[in-house]
Amino acid sequence: MMLKTWESICEDFIEATSYGYGDLEEGWHLKADLSKKPPTYMKFKDAPVQIQLEKPEFSEVPSLWDVLQNRRSKRNFIDKPITLNQLNLILWGTQGITADLGDYQVRTTPSAGALYPIETFMLINNVEGLEKGLYHLNVQDWILEGIKLGDFSDFAFDVTEQQEMTKKAAVNFVWTAVIDRTLFKYKERTYRYIWWDVGHVSQNFHLVANALKLGSCTMGHWYDKEMNKFLGIDGRKHLSVLMASVGQVEGKDWLHDRRPPKI
């Protein structure tokens, strides 16, 4: 039997998740069995470190139009920590709950069906007041959960095929998707929606980081299998979907970082 090429596999995916007139039962997405809805929030109650985050302090920032005009991917990080409040602002800008609507809560980023499949893990390397290690954001209780403590900058470097910015970043973000949160309602379309959801999260990540005059850069190149194993997730029902780095940069590098990216 001839093995399929990756191009044909991708084409099959597009075909399998595409709809035409008459393909769907009317109102199909409104008939999801809510009794099968999985938990919206993930928590590591046994994490050795639990840090309660307060509401972040919102400092004066440039206008939205200035932030958009000056947005750049910047990866020339310097050895200077970011503050816990800066990290808190980035987390709030990407996952912060802004209203409780009873059956669900809405956040600073949109999500298909307000189902929020995206989880935030962080390899923290240089944040004031925090030990180095692997952390997870408990969104519901707004707690930083320290899962593994230690210096994982070498791991970040190796798992991204030696992208230098990961060793010097204050924080390397790893966003993951819990498939079942969206799958119970949107079926095969889920495998499109999770990428849109993480795109919303990463765009807010860039905007907040740039507003804080921090360098930020997302990356799509990492060894998924090794990362999933490191995080303790199965890579199928729960998988890593995007990485990003953030850190301090020199003033002269604020608007210009001309090094070609490694995609």
Side-chain angles (χ1 to χ4, degrees), residues 168-185:
K168 298 181 178 180
V171 182
N172 289 301
F173 281 77
V174 187
W175 289 295
T176 67
V178 181
I179 299 298
D180 285 348
R181 285 187 197 159
T182 305
L183 189 67
F184 91 98
K185 182 174 184 179

Side-chain angles (χ1 to χ4, degrees), residues 49 51 120-124 130-137 144-149:
V49 175
I51 298 173
T120 301
F121 291 85
M122 293 149 280
L123 298 170
I124 289 181
L130 292 184
E131 293 184 67
K132 295 182 179 184
L134 171 65
Y135 289 73
H136 170 261
L137 176 65
L144 270 182
E145 300 168 328
I147 304 169
K148 303 178 186 177
L149 299 181

